Amino acid sequence: ITPYDLLVGKLLGLGTLGLLQMIVWLLVGVVGLQFSGSFEFLSAVVIPPDFIVIVLLYFVLTYFLYASFLAGIGAVMGSEQESRTIAGLALLPNAIPMMLLSVLILNPDSPIFTVLTFIPFTAGMTYMLRYPFSAVPLWEVIASLSILTLSMFLVTWISAKVFRWALLL
């Protein structure tokens, strides 16, 4: 088995578990909304099917991007403590859209969120935060998913090379 196959196999196994968890959450939400008739504040909540599909796409692609990136980092770190420190820093870009939430609420069409939609490490979270406040143009979603897909394949390939190099050490 090649290091690439080993890495992708690990990512697929863990990714399937994460996807199953997301699907269970979505089903609980949909079923909960069906029985929410007695709660007036939940009667206006609607989850569009296109939003669910796009969020699942962002989840899968972002998962593989981060998982392969962190696997590459973990392969070269000397200890578990070093790996955790670097992993915390590596996950920080995903929180940037949340840090700017007040700006998003005041100005949902701000150029900063358009830019964050195209950065692979912030794209998924940015889309989910932008969707309720303004219509995200289809071309932005397609371009963002394309960039994220290419980045995911590139990072997975690089991480497999790093993984192979680290195994040889």
Side-chain angles (χ1 to χ4, degrees), residues 60-81:
V60 169
L61 294 172
T62 303
Y63 164 76
F64 277 106
L65 177 72
Y66 271 105
S68 59
F69 183 66
L70 293 173
I73 288 172
V76 295
M77 289 293 125
S79 70
E80 186 179 340
Q81 185 176 1

Side-chain angles (χ1 to χ4, degrees), residues 7-147:
L7 179 64
V8 171
K10 286 177 173 279
L11 297 179
L12 282 174
L14 291 172
T16 302
L17 289 174
L19 189 58
L20 177 64
Q21 186 176 10
M22 287 270 302
I23 291 171
V24 167
W25 288 345
L26 286 170
L27 288 176
V28 167
V30 168
V31 168
L33 287 175
Q34 296 300 321
F35 295 108
S36 66
S38 59
F39 298 107
E40 186 178 324
F41 67 94
L42 289 177
S43 63
V45 175
V46 177
I47 303 174
D50 63 329
F51 177 72
I52 293 171
V53 170
I54 292 173
V55 165
L56 287 175
L57 280 171
Y58 271 114
F59 170 78
V60 169
L61 294 172
T62 303
Y63 164 76
F64 277 106
L65 177 72
Y66 271 105
S68 59
F69 183 66
L70 293 173
I73 288 172
V76 295
M77 289 293 125
S79 70
E80 186 179 340
Q81 185 176 1
E82 288 176 353
S83 295
R84 275 194 238 137
T85 302
I86 299 298
L89 293 173
L91 293 172
L92 193 59
N94 201 30
I96 291 172
M98 290 295 289
M99 293 177 199
L100 298 171
L101 187 59
S102 61
V103 175
L104 176 67
I105 292 170
L106 295 173
N107 187 5
D109 295 321
S110 171
I112 192 164
F113 292 102
T114 302
V115 170
L116 288 175
T117 302
F118 297 119
I119 299 172
F121 290 98
T122 61
M125 184 64 72
T126 303
Y127 175 78
M128 288 191 303
L129 291 175
R130 280 181 70 190
Y131 187 85
F133 297 106
S134 73
V136 181
L138 182 61
W139 73 267
E140 283 185 23
V141 174
I142 292 170
S144 173
L145 286 170
S146 300
I147 293 168

Side-chain angles (χ1 to χ4, degrees), residues 61 144-154:
L61 294 172
S144 173
L145 286 170
S146 300
I147 293 168
L148 183 56
T149 302
L150 291 172
S151 300
M152 183 260 315
F153 281 118
L154 180 65

